[in-house]
């Protein structure tokens, strides 16, 4: 249920109502809007709860939340959520650009990547230190050493760090070195990991599982929100279909669909979404045109010799050219892309 407070309801009335929600055995999420405050009351609802809450001072009305996801839904919060993590701002007209190699490979590789993507306008650096690889024999990442190199690149450039956490027990370690925890496609439904990322309080980039529906993605986000972390970005990174001309199929209708259903910002990953460097610039521009609030792009100093995902990585000049194109599309929509 959503408890809608009257415009101008006092702090005391809001707090009192939230306490009443909790006393009914429901969880209260207070969401301050620009015009009014609502309290999402999450839990098993009963008819008498509505009547009882409607009698609290300062309450305008109590309405059901129809969507299966609650805190993530637009019904609860109409204003878009803007996620800010250091240099990265994603949402409400500001298109964040997260760029860098698939994996952190060496100090030199990550430092020159950070400098190059920053010069071209990226607002955050990506790079995997813990890599979820399909084969156990593939490069698994530099782990904590990789995290240290990312932190050094942040020190050198000021770029926020976005890096993947693959296991619940690594959340604290990854959070110590990064600004955004990436939860990868393969882990979208690892519910203990989602809860741990929620409890960390660090902003999260949640990638869509290759076979997850939009509803499953939003319910996965709900785990993080319900754990008390409001800073969640959703990432469309392509799904598995019968089609083989691309590594995954990148359904850009997800962007306006999610926009209609949720207040959370939406990021698109055209690198994994296509799996081919030559397709990335067009799909990046198309993502911006579709309304994406952010892009995550794989960029490598020497894609041919990358330890992972080189075949879908942009070189530095290709990234700079992609940024120029995307910036024009963003301007046409009265948005600002990158830094
Ligand atoms: C990545 O970003 O390098 C990655 C592994 O992405 P995904 O989880 O979308 O496959
Ligand atoms: Mn990758």
């Amino acid at each position: 249920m959503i408890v809608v407070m009257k415009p101008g309801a006092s702090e005391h009335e809001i707090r009192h109502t939230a306490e009443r929600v909790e006393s009914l055995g429901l969880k209260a999420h207070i969401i301050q809007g620009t015009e009014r405050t609502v309290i999402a009351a999450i839990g098993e609802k009963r008819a008498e709860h509505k009547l009882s809450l409607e009698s609290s001072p300062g309450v305008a009305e109590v309405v059901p939340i129809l969507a299966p996801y609650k805190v993530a839904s637009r019904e609860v919060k109409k204003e878009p959520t803007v996620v800010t993590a250091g240099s990265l701002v994603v949402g409400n007209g500001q298109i964040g650009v997260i760029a860098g190699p698939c994996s952190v490979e060496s100090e030199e590789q990550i430092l020159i990547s950070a400098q190059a993507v920053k010069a071209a306008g990226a607002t955050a650096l990506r790079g995997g230190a813990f890599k979820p690889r399909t084969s156990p024999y593939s490069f698994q990442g530099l782990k904590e050493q990789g995290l240290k190199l990312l932190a050094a690149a942040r020190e050198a450039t000021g770029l926020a760090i976005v890096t993947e956490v693959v296991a619940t027990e690594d959340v604290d370690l990854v959070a110590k070195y990064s600004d955004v925890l990436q939860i990868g496609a393969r882990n979208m439904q690892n519910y203990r990991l989602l809860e741990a990322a929620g409890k960390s309080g660090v902003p999260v980039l949640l990638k869509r599982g290759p076979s997850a529906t939009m509803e499953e993605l939003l319910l996965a986000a709900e785990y993080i929100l319900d754990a008390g972390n409001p800073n969640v970005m959703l990432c469309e990174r392509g799904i598995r279909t019968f089609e083989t001309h691309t590594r995954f199929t990148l359904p850009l209708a997800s962007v306006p669909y999610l926009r209609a259903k949720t207040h959370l910002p939406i990021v698109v990953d055209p690198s994994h979404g296509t799996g081919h460097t030559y397709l990335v610039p067009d799909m990046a521009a198309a993502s911006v045109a579709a309304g994406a609030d952010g892009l995550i792009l794989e960029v490598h100093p020497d894609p041919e010799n990358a330890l992972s995902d080189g075949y879908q990585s942009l070189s530095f000049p290709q990234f700079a050219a992609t940024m120029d194109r995307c910036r024009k599309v963003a301007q046409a929509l009265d948005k600002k892309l990158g830094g």
Side-chain angles (χ1 to χ4, degrees):
M1 289 178 295
I2 312 167
V3 183
V4 184
M5 302 303 294
K6 289 179 182 156
S10 70
E11 276 298 313
H12 176 263
E13 285 170 337
I14 294 167
R15 218 174 333 105
H16 171 76
T17 309
E19 279 163 15
R20 291 211 51 213
V21 167
E22 300 267 351
S23 74
L24 295 171
L26 304 168
K27 199 160 171 179
H29 288 266
I30 301 175
I31 295 145
Q32 315 264 9
T34 42
E35 274 159 37
R36 57 189 184 175
T37 298
V38 303
I39 301 170
I42 310 299
E44 220 179 312
K45 64 166 195 267
R46 287 221 244 17
E48 65 267 26
H49 289 164
K50 174 171 158 61
L51 290 173
S52 147
L53 288 168
E54 265 171 354
S55 63
S56 284
V59 171
E61 59 175 340
V62 178
V63 289
I65 308 171
L66 299 176
Y69 38 89
K70 307 294 175 191
V71 188
S73 83
R74 260 210 191 267
E75 296 167 64
V76 164
K77 184 169 179 268
K78 304 236 176 315
E79 295 89 2
T81 291
V82 179
V83 173
T84 303
S87 59
L88 178 67
V89 181
V90 179
N92 209 18
Q94 182 69 51
I95 302 175
V97 180
I98 306 161
C102 178
S103 305
V104 181
E105 299 170 7
S106 69
E107 183 171 2
E108 195 202 351
Q109 177 246 19
I110 198 67
L111 271 177
I112 57 172
S113 299
Q115 279 150 359
V117 299
K118 186 179 178 180
T123 43
L125 176 68
R126 64 150 291 149
F130 289 90
K131 292 305 299 176
R133 303 305 301 279
T134 303
S135 163
Y137 308 119
S138 301
F139 176 58
Q140 300 289 314
L142 297 180
K143 312 214 164 79
E144 187 167 4
Q145 180 54 20
L147 295 174
K148 287 183 178 159
L149 297 178
L150 285 166
R154 172 176 51 199
E155 191 66 31
T157 59
L159 287 179
I161 301 300
V162 180
T163 194
E164 181 162 356
V165 56
V166 295
T168 308
E169 60 270 24
D170 296 337
V171 167
D172 289 344
L173 178 72
V174 178
K176 191 168 114 190
Y177 293 100
S178 63
D179 301 285
V180 174
L181 299 175
Q182 177 176 327
I183 295 194
R186 293 158 187 81
N187 267 314
M188 189 204 83
Q189 286 179 310
N190 181 342
Y191 299 116
R192 299 295 83 80
L193 179 60
L194 298 174
E195 282 167 0
K199 287 195 188 113
S200 76
V202 178
V204 175
L205 178 72
L206 176 63
K207 295 187 116 188
R208 179 186 189 178
S211 61
T213 63
M214 288 279 102
E215 190 168 301
E216 287 164 341
L217 171 63
L218 287 162
L219 284 167
E222 190 78 11
Y223 271 87
I224 304 167
L225 298 169
D226 191 53
N229 187 346
N231 293 310
V232 179
M233 296 169 269
L234 303 171
C235 180
E236 174 57 82
R237 47 77 74 210
I239 52 173
R240 184 153 279 176
T241 67
F242 58 84
E243 188 52 83
T244 54
H245 78 292
T246 47
R247 183 181 178 193
F248 293 96
T249 297
L250 184 60
L252 287 181
S254 313
V255 179
Y257 179 84
L258 287 169
R259 174 83 59 233
K261 300 292 174 187
T262 180
H263 52 86
L264 297 173
I266 306 146
V267 174
V268 179
D269 177 346
S271 306
H272 293 85
T274 61
H276 298 285
T277 301
Y278 78 99
L279 297 175
V280 172
D282 286 330
M283 293 312 284
S287 304
V288 175
D293 301 300
L295 292 172
I296 178 164
L297 292 163
E298 288 187 334
V299 181
H300 196 282
D302 179 13
E304 238 186 308
N305 290 301
L307 292 183
S308 59
D309 288 355
Y311 47 81
Q312 65 190 30
S313 298
L314 300 168
S315 64
F316 296 159
Q318 286 168 330
F319 175 65
T322 303
M323 288 294 282
D324 288 343
R325 282 187 60 196
C326 290
R327 212 174 273 117
K328 287 184 195 143
V329 179
Q331 274 160 6
L333 298 171
D334 288 327
K335 292 181 173 182
K336 184 173 182 294
L337 178 117

mmCIF file of all heavy atoms in Angstrom, residues 25-59:
data_model
loop_
_atom_site.group_PDB
_atom_site.id
_atom_site.type_symbol
_atom_site.label_atom_id
_atom_site.label_comp_id
_atom_site.label_asym_id
_atom_site.label_seq_id
_atom_site.Cartn_x
_atom_site.Cartn_y
_atom_site.Cartn_z
ATOM 1 N N GLY A 25 3.070 -4.346 11.507
ATOM 2 C CA GLY A 25 3.867 -5.472 11.009
ATOM 3 C C GLY A 25 4.307 -5.256 9.569
ATOM 4 O O GLY A 25 4.742 -6.198 8.896
ATOM 5 N N LEU A 26 4.195 -4.023 9.072
ATOM 6 C CA LEU A 26 4.607 -3.713 7.698
ATOM 7 C C LEU A 26 5.902 -2.910 7.744
ATOM 8 O O LEU A 26 6.220 -2.293 8.758
ATOM 9 C CB LEU A 26 3.521 -2.901 6.986
ATOM 10 C CG LEU A 26 2.131 -3.545 6.947
ATOM 11 C CD1 LEU A 26 1.088 -2.540 6.495
ATOM 12 C CD2 LEU A 26 2.138 -4.754 6.016
ATOM 13 N N LYS A 27 6.633 -2.930 6.619
ATOM 14 C CA LYS A 27 7.871 -2.156 6.562
ATOM 15 C C LYS A 27 7.562 -0.800 5.937
ATOM 16 O O LYS A 27 6.867 -0.746 4.914
ATOM 17 C CB LYS A 27 8.873 -2.928 5.684
ATOM 18 C CG LYS A 27 10.278 -2.516 5.887
ATOM 19 C CD LYS A 27 11.169 -3.630 5.374
ATOM 20 C CE LYS A 27 12.598 -3.219 5.341
ATOM 21 N NZ LYS A 27 13.417 -4.330 4.860
ATOM 22 N N ALA A 28 8.077 0.268 6.539
ATOM 23 C CA ALA A 28 7.787 1.612 6.015
ATOM 24 C C ALA A 28 8.986 2.160 5.256
ATOM 25 O O ALA A 28 10.097 2.197 5.770
ATOM 26 C CB ALA A 28 7.440 2.545 7.164
ATOM 27 N N HIS A 29 8.772 2.541 4.002
ATOM 28 C CA HIS A 29 9.800 3.240 3.220
ATOM 29 C C HIS A 29 9.283 4.651 2.985
ATOM 30 O O HIS A 29 8.273 4.822 2.297
ATOM 31 C CB HIS A 29 10.011 2.582 1.860
ATOM 32 C CG HIS A 29 10.695 1.273 1.925
ATOM 33 N ND1 HIS A 29 12.050 1.134 1.788
ATOM 34 C CD2 HIS A 29 10.211 0.018 2.105
ATOM 35 C CE1 HIS A 29 12.377 -0.137 1.880
ATOM 36 N NE2 HIS A 29 11.285 -0.840 2.066
ATOM 37 N N ILE A 30 9.940 5.632 3.560
ATOM 38 C CA ILE A 30 9.487 7.025 3.382
ATOM 39 C C ILE A 30 10.113 7.582 2.105
ATOM 40 O O ILE A 30 11.328 7.517 1.925
ATOM 41 C CB ILE A 30 9.888 7.894 4.593
ATOM 42 C CG1 ILE A 30 9.255 7.306 5.870
ATOM 43 C CG2 ILE A 30 9.476 9.355 4.391
ATOM 44 C CD1 ILE A 30 9.652 7.996 7.148
ATOM 45 N N ILE A 31 9.272 8.073 1.210
ATOM 46 C CA ILE A 31 9.776 8.624 -0.056
ATOM 47 C C ILE A 31 9.332 10.085 -0.157
ATOM 48 O O ILE A 31 8.135 10.380 -0.262
ATOM 49 C CB ILE A 31 9.276 7.782 -1.247
ATOM 50 C CG1 ILE A 31 9.899 6.373 -1.129
ATOM 51 C CG2 ILE A 31 9.661 8.405 -2.580
ATOM 52 C CD1 ILE A 31 9.038 5.275 -1.585
ATOM 53 N N GLN A 32 10.320 10.972 -0.091
ATOM 54 C CA GLN A 32 10.023 12.410 -0.125
ATOM 55 C C GLN A 32 9.959 12.867 -1.575
ATOM 56 O O GLN A 32 10.964 12.825 -2.265
ATOM 57 C CB GLN A 32 11.155 13.214 0.562
ATOM 58 C CG GLN A 32 11.626 12.654 1.871
ATOM 59 C CD GLN A 32 10.939 13.324 3.071
ATOM 60 O OE1 GLN A 32 9.990 14.082 2.890
ATOM 61 N NE2 GLN A 32 11.409 13.024 4.266
ATOM 62 N N GLY A 33 8.795 13.278 -2.006
ATOM 63 C CA GLY A 33 8.667 13.815 -3.358
ATOM 64 C C GLY A 33 8.805 15.331 -3.315
ATOM 65 O O GLY A 33 8.956 15.901 -2.240
ATOM 66 N N THR A 34 8.773 15.952 -4.495
ATOM 67 C CA THR A 34 8.899 17.408 -4.490
ATOM 68 C C THR A 34 7.623 18.053 -3.960
ATOM 69 O O THR A 34 7.669 19.085 -3.300
ATOM 70 C CB THR A 34 9.207 17.947 -5.907
ATOM 71 O OG1 THR A 34 8.386 17.228 -6.828
ATOM 72 C CG2 THR A 34 10.648 17.778 -6.285
ATOM 73 N N GLU A 35 6.479 17.413 -4.247
ATOM 74 C CA GLU A 35 5.222 18.011 -3.791
ATOM 75 C C GLU A 35 4.683 17.405 -2.500
ATOM 76 O O GLU A 35 4.129 18.090 -1.661
ATOM 77 C CB GLU A 35 4.161 17.890 -4.882
ATOM 78 C CG GLU A 35 4.258 19.060 -5.843
ATOM 79 C CD GLU A 35 3.633 18.770 -7.182
ATOM 80 O OE1 GLU A 35 2.601 18.082 -7.225
ATOM 81 O OE2 GLU A 35 4.215 19.229 -8.187
ATOM 82 N N ARG A 36 4.832 16.083 -2.381
ATOM 83 C CA ARG A 36 4.323 15.458 -1.159
ATOM 84 C C ARG A 36 5.122 14.203 -0.835
ATOM 85 O O ARG A 36 5.840 13.666 -1.681
ATOM 86 C CB ARG A 36 2.840 15.132 -1.293
ATOM 87 C CG ARG A 36 2.550 14.259 -2.464
ATOM 88 C CD ARG A 36 1.058 14.132 -2.692
ATOM 89 N NE ARG A 36 0.861 13.194 -3.787
ATOM 90 C CZ ARG A 36 -0.305 12.772 -4.199
ATOM 91 N NH1 ARG A 36 -1.404 13.184 -3.624
ATOM 92 N NH2 ARG A 36 -0.389 11.910 -5.178
ATOM 93 N N THR A 37 4.947 13.775 0.388
ATOM 94 C CA THR A 37 5.665 12.595 0.857
ATOM 95 C C THR A 37 4.723 11.402 0.815
ATOM 96 O O THR A 37 3.536 11.534 1.124
ATOM 97 C CB THR A 37 6.147 12.839 2.304
ATOM 98 O OG1 THR A 37 7.037 13.947 2.264
ATOM 99 C CG2 THR A 37 6.863 11.630 2.876
ATOM 100 N N VAL A 38 5.258 10.253 0.388
ATOM 101 C CA VAL A 38 4.459 9.035 0.488
ATOM 102 C C VAL A 38 5.232 8.031 1.334
ATOM 103 O O VAL A 38 6.464 8.088 1.417
ATOM 104 C CB VAL A 38 4.111 8.418 -0.898
ATOM 105 C CG1 VAL A 38 3.379 9.394 -1.784
ATOM 106 C CG2 VAL A 38 5.340 7.870 -1.584
ATOM 107 N N ILE A 39 4.494 7.137 1.954
ATOM 108 C CA ILE A 39 5.136 6.061 2.714
ATOM 109 C C ILE A 39 4.682 4.748 2.085
ATOM 110 O O ILE A 39 3.472 4.467 2.039
ATOM 111 C CB ILE A 39 4.739 6.110 4.207
ATOM 112 C CG1 ILE A 39 5.144 7.474 4.798
ATOM 113 C CG2 ILE A 39 5.404 4.963 4.981
ATOM 114 C CD1 ILE A 39 4.590 7.729 6.175
ATOM 115 N N ALA A 40 5.642 4.002 1.540
ATOM 116 C CA ALA A 40 5.292 2.688 1.001
ATOM 117 C C ALA A 40 5.237 1.734 2.185
ATOM 118 O O ALA A 40 6.194 1.629 2.946
ATOM 119 C CB ALA A 40 6.328 2.253 -0.011
ATOM 120 N N ALA A 41 4.095 1.089 2.356
ATOM 121 C CA ALA A 41 3.916 0.130 3.459
ATOM 122 C C ALA A 41 3.968 -1.261 2.852
ATOM 123 O O ALA A 41 3.058 -1.669 2.135
ATOM 124 C CB ALA A 41 2.587 0.376 4.149
ATOM 125 N N ILE A 42 5.094 -1.946 3.087
ATOM 126 C CA ILE A 42 5.348 -3.209 2.395
ATOM 127 C C ILE A 42 5.110 -4.383 3.344
ATOM 128 O O ILE A 42 5.610 -4.405 4.465
ATOM 129 C CB ILE A 42 6.795 -3.256 1.859
ATOM 130 C CG1 ILE A 42 7.133 -1.984 1.060
ATOM 131 C CG2 ILE A 42 7.037 -4.503 1.025
ATOM 132 C CD1 ILE A 42 6.295 -1.720 -0.157
ATOM 133 N N GLY A 43 4.398 -5.359 2.858
ATOM 134 C CA GLY A 43 4.134 -6.555 3.663
ATOM 135 C C GLY A 43 2.749 -7.060 3.314
ATOM 136 O O GLY A 43 2.109 -6.564 2.390
ATOM 137 N N GLU A 44 2.308 -8.053 4.075
ATOM 138 C CA GLU A 44 0.997 -8.618 3.772
ATOM 139 C C GLU A 44 -0.089 -7.614 4.161
ATOM 140 O O GLU A 44 -0.182 -7.228 5.328
ATOM 141 C CB GLU A 44 0.820 -9.903 4.568
ATOM 142 C CG GLU A 44 0.141 -10.965 3.748
ATOM 143 C CD GLU A 44 -0.003 -12.237 4.552
ATOM 144 O OE1 GLU A 44 0.997 -12.656 5.168
ATOM 145 O OE2 GLU A 44 -1.116 -12.766 4.593
ATOM 146 N N LYS A 45 -0.854 -7.213 3.172
ATOM 147 C CA LYS A 45 -1.840 -6.165 3.487
ATOM 148 C C LYS A 45 -3.177 -6.781 3.912
ATOM 149 O O LYS A 45 -3.568 -7.850 3.476
ATOM 150 C CB LYS A 45 -2.023 -5.230 2.293
ATOM 151 C CG LYS A 45 -2.593 -5.858 1.051
ATOM 152 C CD LYS A 45 -3.037 -4.779 0.072
ATOM 153 C CE LYS A 45 -3.917 -5.352 -0.999
ATOM 154 N NZ LYS A 45 -3.259 -5.754 -2.195
ATOM 155 N N ARG A 46 -3.823 -6.062 4.794
ATOM 156 C CA ARG A 46 -5.150 -6.497 5.230
ATOM 157 C C ARG A 46 -6.091 -5.304 5.126
ATOM 158 O O ARG A 46 -5.683 -4.148 5.273
ATOM 159 C CB ARG A 46 -5.097 -6.983 6.669
ATOM 160 C CG ARG A 46 -4.399 -8.320 6.771
ATOM 161 C CD ARG A 46 -5.098 -9.238 7.740
ATOM 162 N NE ARG A 46 -4.528 -9.685 8.873
ATOM 163 C CZ ARG A 46 -3.470 -9.345 9.629
ATOM 164 N NH1 ARG A 46 -2.922 -8.636 9.520
ATOM 165 N NH2 ARG A 46 -2.950 -9.743 10.621
ATOM 166 N N ALA A 47 -7.360 -5.565 4.869
ATOM 167 C CA ALA A 47 -8.318 -4.475 4.651
ATOM 168 C C ALA A 47 -8.317 -3.483 5.814
ATOM 169 O O ALA A 47 -8.375 -2.274 5.614
ATOM 170 C CB ALA A 47 -9.707 -5.065 4.449
ATOM 171 N N GLU A 48 -8.187 -3.998 7.045
ATOM 172 C CA GLU A 48 -8.272 -3.085 8.204
ATOM 173 C C GLU A 48 -7.063 -2.153 8.292
ATOM 174 O O GLU A 48 -7.126 -1.087 8.893
ATOM 175 C CB GLU A 48 -8.500 -3.841 9.518
ATOM 176 C CG GLU A 48 -7.372 -4.756 9.954
ATOM 177 C CD GLU A 48 -7.540 -6.195 9.480
ATOM 178 O OE1 GLU A 48 -8.202 -6.402 8.452
ATOM 179 O OE2 GLU A 48 -6.982 -7.091 10.134
ATOM 180 N N HIS A 49 -5.914 -2.546 7.666
ATOM 181 C CA HIS A 49 -4.736 -1.677 7.677
ATOM 182 C C HIS A 49 -5.049 -0.352 6.995
ATOM 183 O O HIS A 49 -4.675 0.707 7.460
ATOM 184 C CB HIS A 49 -3.567 -2.331 6.940
ATOM 185 C CG HIS A 49 -2.981 -3.490 7.684
ATOM 186 N ND1 HIS A 49 -2.160 -4.415 7.077
ATOM 187 C CD2 HIS A 49 -3.086 -3.876 8.972
ATOM 188 C CE1 HIS A 49 -1.788 -5.307 7.970
ATOM 189 N NE2 HIS A 49 -2.345 -5.008 9.130
ATOM 190 N N LYS A 50 -5.732 -0.456 5.852
ATOM 191 C CA LYS A 50 -6.046 0.754 5.076
ATOM 192 C C LYS A 50 -6.896 1.709 5.922
ATOM 193 O O LYS A 50 -6.589 2.888 6.050
ATOM 194 C CB LYS A 50 -6.789 0.329 3.796
ATOM 195 C CG LYS A 50 -7.312 1.471 2.957
ATOM 196 C CD LYS A 50 -7.833 0.935 1.622
ATOM 197 C CE LYS A 50 -8.827 1.871 0.948
ATOM 198 N NZ LYS A 50 -8.331 3.178 0.594
ATOM 199 N N LEU A 51 -7.935 1.159 6.531
ATOM 200 C CA LEU A 51 -8.834 1.996 7.330
ATOM 201 C C LEU A 51 -8.094 2.626 8.491
ATOM 202 O O LEU A 51 -8.223 3.814 8.778
ATOM 203 C CB LEU A 51 -9.989 1.127 7.869
ATOM 204 C CG LEU A 51 -10.968 0.660 6.795
ATOM 205 C CD1 LEU A 51 -11.963 -0.331 7.377
ATOM 206 C CD2 LEU A 51 -11.690 1.866 6.194
ATOM 207 N N SER A 52 -7.265 1.805 9.138
ATOM 208 C CA SER A 52 -6.563 2.284 10.319
ATOM 209 C C SER A 52 -5.576 3.400 9.952
ATOM 210 O O SER A 52 -5.493 4.419 10.634
ATOM 211 C CB SER A 52 -5.897 1.072 10.965
ATOM 212 O OG SER A 52 -4.716 1.411 11.564
ATOM 213 N N LEU A 53 -4.847 3.237 8.838
ATOM 214 C CA LEU A 53 -3.855 4.253 8.463
ATOM 215 C C LEU A 53 -4.517 5.525 7.951
ATOM 216 O O LEU A 53 -4.010 6.625 8.146
ATOM 217 C CB LEU A 53 -2.892 3.689 7.417
ATOM 218 C CG LEU A 53 -1.906 2.657 7.967
ATOM 219 C CD1 LEU A 53 -1.198 1.928 6.831
ATOM 220 C CD2 LEU A 53 -0.880 3.321 8.874
ATOM 221 N N GLU A 54 -5.666 5.364 7.327
ATOM 222 C CA GLU A 54 -6.351 6.550 6.787
ATOM 223 C C GLU A 54 -6.781 7.517 7.891
ATOM 224 O O GLU A 54 -7.007 8.694 7.629
ATOM 225 C CB GLU A 54 -7.555 6.133 5.935
ATOM 226 C CG GLU A 54 -7.166 6.061 4.476
ATOM 227 C CD GLU A 54 -8.222 5.454 3.577
ATOM 228 O OE1 GLU A 54 -9.249 4.964 4.075
ATOM 229 O OE2 GLU A 54 -7.991 5.452 2.362
ATOM 230 N N SER A 55 -6.856 7.007 9.118
ATOM 231 C CA SER A 55 -7.292 7.895 10.203
ATOM 232 C C SER A 55 -6.127 8.643 10.855
ATOM 233 O O SER A 55 -6.336 9.473 11.732
ATOM 234 C CB SER A 55 -8.057 7.088 11.250
ATOM 235 O OG SER A 55 -7.180 6.143 11.814
ATOM 236 N N SER A 56 -4.888 8.385 10.410
ATOM 237 C CA SER A 56 -3.742 9.084 11.007
ATOM 238 C C SER A 56 -3.697 10.539 10.573
ATOM 239 O O SER A 56 -4.013 10.846 9.416
ATOM 240 C CB SER A 56 -2.426 8.422 10.568
ATOM 241 O OG SER A 56 -2.238 7.238 11.266
ATOM 242 N N PRO A 57 -3.279 11.444 11.467
ATOM 243 C CA PRO A 57 -3.201 12.855 11.086
ATOM 244 C C PRO A 57 -2.199 13.082 9.957
ATOM 245 O O PRO A 57 -1.138 12.454 9.945
ATOM 246 C CB PRO A 57 -2.748 13.565 12.370
ATOM 247 C CG PRO A 57 -2.403 12.506 13.345
ATOM 248 C CD PRO A 57 -2.923 11.200 12.867
ATOM 249 N N GLY A 58 -2.567 13.906 9.024
ATOM 250 C CA GLY A 58 -1.661 14.231 7.921
ATOM 251 C C GLY A 58 -1.772 13.288 6.740
ATOM 252 O O GLY A 58 -1.165 13.516 5.699
ATOM 253 N N VAL A 59 -2.572 12.216 6.862
ATOM 254 C CA VAL A 59 -2.674 11.248 5.754
ATOM 255 C C VAL A 59 -3.793 11.679 4.799
ATOM 256 O O VAL A 59 -4.912 11.982 5.234
ATOM 257 C CB VAL A 59 -2.956 9.823 6.294
ATOM 258 C CG1 VAL A 59 -3.288 8.859 5.158
ATOM 259 C CG2 VAL A 59 -1.744 9.320 7.075
#
